[in-house]
Amino acid sequence: MTFDPLTYRYPSRRNVVFSRLGMVSTGQVLAAQAGLEILKKGGNAVDAAVATAACLTVTEPTSCGIGGDAFCIICTDGKLYGLNASGCAPKALSIERLKKEGYDEIPKSGWVPVTVPGVPAAWAELIKKFGKLPLKDVLRPAAEYARNGYPVSPTVSSAWKESCSRFEKELSGEIKEAWFETFAPRGRAPQAGETLNLPDHAETLELIGESESEVFYRGEIARKIADFARKTGGFIDEEDLASFAPEWVEPVKIDYRGYDVWELPPNGQSIVALIALNILKGFSFTEKENPVTYHLQIEAIKAAFADGLAYIADPSCESVPTEELLSQERTAKRRALIGQEAKVWHPGPIGGSDTVYLATADGNGNMVSYIQSNYMGFGSGIVVPKTGVALQNRGACFSLSPDHPNALRPGKRPYHTIIPGFISKDGKPIGPFGIMGAFMQPQAHVQVLMNMLDFGLNPQEALDAPRWMWVKCKEVLLEYGFPEHIAAALARRGHDVAISSKHAPFGRGQIIWRMENGNLCGGTEPRTDGTIAAW
C-alpha cells in the first residue's frame, strides 16, 4: 500500500487524556514513551523529563540537540524552582571583532552565532538536585534509539528536508562534510517512516551519563569542540566550556483571573507573556470568537513586545527592570494606549526557530515544564565530527548595536526565546504548559491560557484552536481555519491580515493539568506528532 504520511485530507479529533500515576506530553511519540518508561522504573517527573529531553535530541534533532540550551520550571513539594541553562558568547567574540571582519549583523550559520551549550549541564543539574535515578540510566533510552535506530516521524522528516536544503547552500568544506555525514548519511534527509541510526550521538549520550556531563565541559567532548573550532575558524574554546554552569532562578508570576501564571525571569522573553496578560486582565471578555477579543489580544502582545525587545537582556550584564515592566502603574498606562484601531508599537520580532517543549508529572505531585532548543532547526550547521553534537546558533539573537541592552559582549547571554510556563491557584500547583516557536511563544502562551481561563476550553481544545501571530508593525498572520468574518473585521480595524496555509509558524504546545481529585488531564499539539504517554 502506498500513501503519503504528510497528507491528511480530513480533520481528526483528539480527546483530553486522563491518568493517575504519571504523564508525559511532548511532540514525538518515542520520546514520550521513553519518559513513561523511566517513570515505571521508579523515576520521578524530573527523571522522566530528562529522559524525554534526551530522546528528543535523537528523534527530533531538527528542533533540539545536545549542543543547545534549556530552561525549566520544576514543582516539587508544592514549591517552584527555575533553571536557566542558557549559554553565553565565547570570550573571543565581540562586536568590535565582528565589525572589523565586515559583519553588519550576526549570521545564522557558521561559528559566529555559536554560544556555549547548556543542555548537558541542565540534565546533570536536574538529576543531581531532584532526580531519583542515575543520569546514565535516565539517558539510556535515548542512547539505545540512537544506536539501534528509530523510524523518523512525519513532521520531523519534513523539517529535516528543509534543513538539508538550507545547509547545502549555506555550508562548505569540512563543516558541510561533518553535518551531512552525521545527519544525512544517505546524501538526503530521511523520509517519514525510514529508520535512522545516530551512532556517534549514542556514544556521546553514554559519556555524558557516565560523567554527569563533565565530559562535555571539561573532558573529551570539550576538547573535540575546541579543536574543531580552532581548525575551522571558530571562537569557542576549552575555557568557555569549563566556565559554564546553569543558574537556579526564582520564577516570576502575575495573577490572572484568580490563577497564578508563572514564567522565568530574563534573559528569556517570558515576561512578554506576563506583560500582555497584565494588560488584558483589565478588560472583560465574554466571547472568544469576537473581533474585539482578538484585536485586544494582538494590541496587548504588540505593547508587551515593545517593552520586551527594548529591555530584555542578560541580567548579570545589564539592568533589566522586570518589576517595573510588570507594575500595575506601567500596565495601566500601556492599557490606556490601546484604541479601536491597530497601531505600530515596535517594528517587530526578528525571525522564527525550532524548539521542543515537554511536560511531565508523576503520582507524587512532582511536575516539570521543560524546553530546549538549537534555535533555528539544527542550529548553526556546525556538527563536531564523530560526536553527534550540533551546536546552536542562539547568538543570532544578539544585537550588534553597542548601546542596546542586548548587545553582544564576551561572556554574555543573549535575549532568549524559549520559555516554559506553569499555573497554580490558591497556592496549589495546577500544572505545566508551554508552546515552542521563537517569538510566537509568548503570543501562544497568552492565547492558550485565555482559551482555558477566560473561555473555559479544556487543555486539548485550548491547543486545537486556530492561532494568530503578530509578525511586525501591523502585520498579523492568521492560521488556516481562522473564522473569516473575524479576519475581515480585524482588517477593518487596520490590521494587515494574511492567512497562512502552514501550521508550523504557530508553535507546538503541551499541557498537563492536575485536577481537584488528584488525577492528571493532558492535552497535546495537533500541529505535530504530539503524544501523551500516560500511566
Side-chain angles (χ1 to χ4, degrees):
M1 179 172 138
T2 302
F3 61 88
D4 182 357
L6 295 172
T7 297
Y8 297 85
R9 294 171 175 81
Y10 312 107
S12 88
R13 191 193 75 183
R14 298 170 184 244
N15 291 337
V16 291
V17 174
F18 295 104
S19 73
R20 184 171 64 88
L21 296 179
M23 183 175 286
V24 180
S25 183
T26 195
Q28 211 281 336
V29 60
L30 302 178
Q33 290 175 351
L36 185 63
E37 175 187 336
I38 291 298
L39 284 176
K40 290 185 173 182
K41 287 183 175 178
N44 60 20
V46 176
D47 297 309
V50 173
T52 304
C55 265
L56 287 167
T57 69
V58 178
T59 61
E60 196 175 339
T62 52
S63 301
C64 70
I66 298 171
D69 280 345
F71 290 79
C72 186
I73 298 176
I74 306 98
C75 176
T76 184
D77 295 327
K79 178 174 171 54
L80 298 186
Y81 300 84
L83 185 68
N84 179 335
S86 62
C88 56
K91 67 181 187 304
L93 195 62
S94 67
I95 290 177
E96 295 75 22
R97 180 169 180 175
L98 293 182
K99 292 284 189 180
K100 191 176 294 184
E101 294 183 10
Y103 291 100
D104 293 321
E105 62 180 23
I106 297 177
K108 296 177 175 60
S109 59
W111 281 108
V112 173
V114 172
T115 50
V116 175
V119 161
W123 296 345
E125 186 70 12
L126 288 169
I127 295 300
K128 177 182 175 182
K129 190 173 180 69
F130 294 113
K132 292 176 64 180
L133 303 178
L135 182 60
K136 64 180 181 180
D137 293 347
V138 171
L139 300 188
R140 185 168 292 123
E144 289 176 352
Y145 278 128
R147 177 167 287 111
N148 300 329
Y150 66 93
V152 174
S153 50
T155 302
V156 172
S157 72
S158 180
W160 214 309
K161 185 176 181 180
E162 291 178 7
S163 291
C164 278
S165 297
R166 171 193 166 196
F167 291 135
E168 181 66 45
K169 300 171 186 174
E170 295 181 9
L171 304 181
S172 62
E174 288 184 67
I175 290 174
K176 181 176 182 178
E177 181 182 333
W179 192 89
F180 277 87
E181 181 181 309
T182 301
F183 290 113
R186 300 179 179 94
R188 57 169 175 78
Q191 298 175 352
E194 188 174 8
T195 299
L196 184 76
N197 304 75
L198 297 171
D200 296 334
H201 205 112
E203 184 174 346
T204 293
L205 286 169
E206 289 169 346
L207 290 172
I208 290 171
E210 291 164 2
S211 70
E212 297 182 344
S213 86
E214 280 293 300
V215 69
F216 191 91
Y217 296 97
R218 298 166 190 86
E220 177 186 344
I221 304 299
R223 288 191 294 274
K224 288 183 177 180
I225 293 171
D227 286 346
F228 194 55
R230 280 187 287 268
K231 186 179 181 182
T232 56
F235 304 89
I236 196 168
D237 65 16
E238 291 93 342
E239 186 179 337
D240 293 315
L241 292 159
S243 63
F244 177 77
E247 178 187 10
W248 289 102
V249 297
E250 287 289 330
V252 294
K253 69 171 181 175
I254 64 159
D255 172 85
Y256 187 80
R257 311 300 190 210
Y259 289 83
D260 286 327
V261 179
W262 299 84
E263 303 271 3
L264 295 182
N267 56 310
Q269 65 176 346
S270 291
I271 62 170
V272 171
L274 298 184
I275 294 169
L277 288 170
N278 256 349
I279 292 171
L280 289 163
K281 72 182 182 183
F283 298 105
S284 177
F285 298 97
T286 57
E287 185 182 358
K288 172 174 165 54
E289 303 306 338
N290 186 312
V292 175
T293 296
Y294 289 103
H295 171 71
L296 293 175
Q297 287 179 334
I298 293 166
E299 293 302 295
I301 274 291
K302 288 155 66 175
F305 264 118
D307 283 342
L309 293 171
Y311 293 107
I312 291 173
D314 184 349
S316 68
C317 300
E318 309 287 346
S319 176
V320 184
T322 300
E323 290 186 12
E324 179 187 346
L325 294 175
L326 295 176
S327 69
Q328 293 307 308
E329 181 181 1
R330 185 179 182 88
T331 298
K333 290 179 180 178
R334 284 306 211 192
R335 188 183 299 123
L337 293 174
I338 295 178
Q340 298 299 311
E341 300 289 323
K343 63 188 296 184
V344 175
W345 296 77
H346 188 280
I350 54 175
S353 77
D354 295 288
T355 300
V356 295
Y357 174 79
L358 64 95
T360 64
D362 61 35
N364 295 317
N366 301 301
M367 308 178 89
V368 178
S369 182
Y370 181 99
I371 194 162
Q372 68 184 20
S373 175
N374 280 347
Y375 189 34
M376 297 178 178
F378 283 91
S380 64
I382 306 290
V383 177
V384 182
K386 307 303 180 183
T387 67
V389 176
L391 295 173
Q392 64 185 343
N393 62 339
R394 184 58 62 177
C397 287
F398 276 122
S399 169
L400 290 186
S401 299
D403 297 330
H404 195 284
N406 187 43
L408 168 65
R409 276 174 47 190
K412 183 178 180 180
R413 296 173 297 186
Y415 179 113
H416 226 291
T417 58
I418 62 176
I419 55 174
F422 202 92
I423 307 172
S424 64
K425 183 176 176 61
D426 301 328
K428 297 179 181 179
I430 300 295
F433 73 94
I435 304 94
M436 55 67 72
F439 295 91
M440 178 64 190
Q441 291 183 53
Q443 306 187 54
H445 278 211
V446 168
Q447 293 174 65
V448 170
L449 283 173
M450 288 187 68
N451 285 347
M452 294 189 291
L453 305 184
D454 283 282
F455 307 118
L457 275 62
N458 67 51
Q460 189 59 56
E461 277 186 301
L463 292 168
D464 290 346
R467 298 175 193 149
W468 53 265
M469 179 178 69
W470 173 61
V471 180
K472 62 181 180 180
C473 298
K474 295 183 181 181
E475 291 182 26
V476 180
L477 195 63
L478 305 180
E479 191 171 17
Y480 181 78
F482 206 87
E484 289 185 16
H485 72 285
I486 292 177
L490 289 174
R492 289 194 295 271
R493 288 178 177 266
H495 297 280
D496 186 0
V497 171
I499 306 294
S500 173
S501 61
K502 297 181 178 180
H503 294 299
F506 301 95
R508 306 193 290 266
Q510 314 293 331
I511 301 169
I512 296 178
W513 193 283
R514 191 176 295 280
M515 301 168 64
E516 290 185 10
N517 64 6
N519 289 336
L520 301 167
C521 175
T524 189
E525 184 58 64
R527 296 163 183 81
T528 188
D529 313 305
T531 302
I532 294 176
W535 183 26

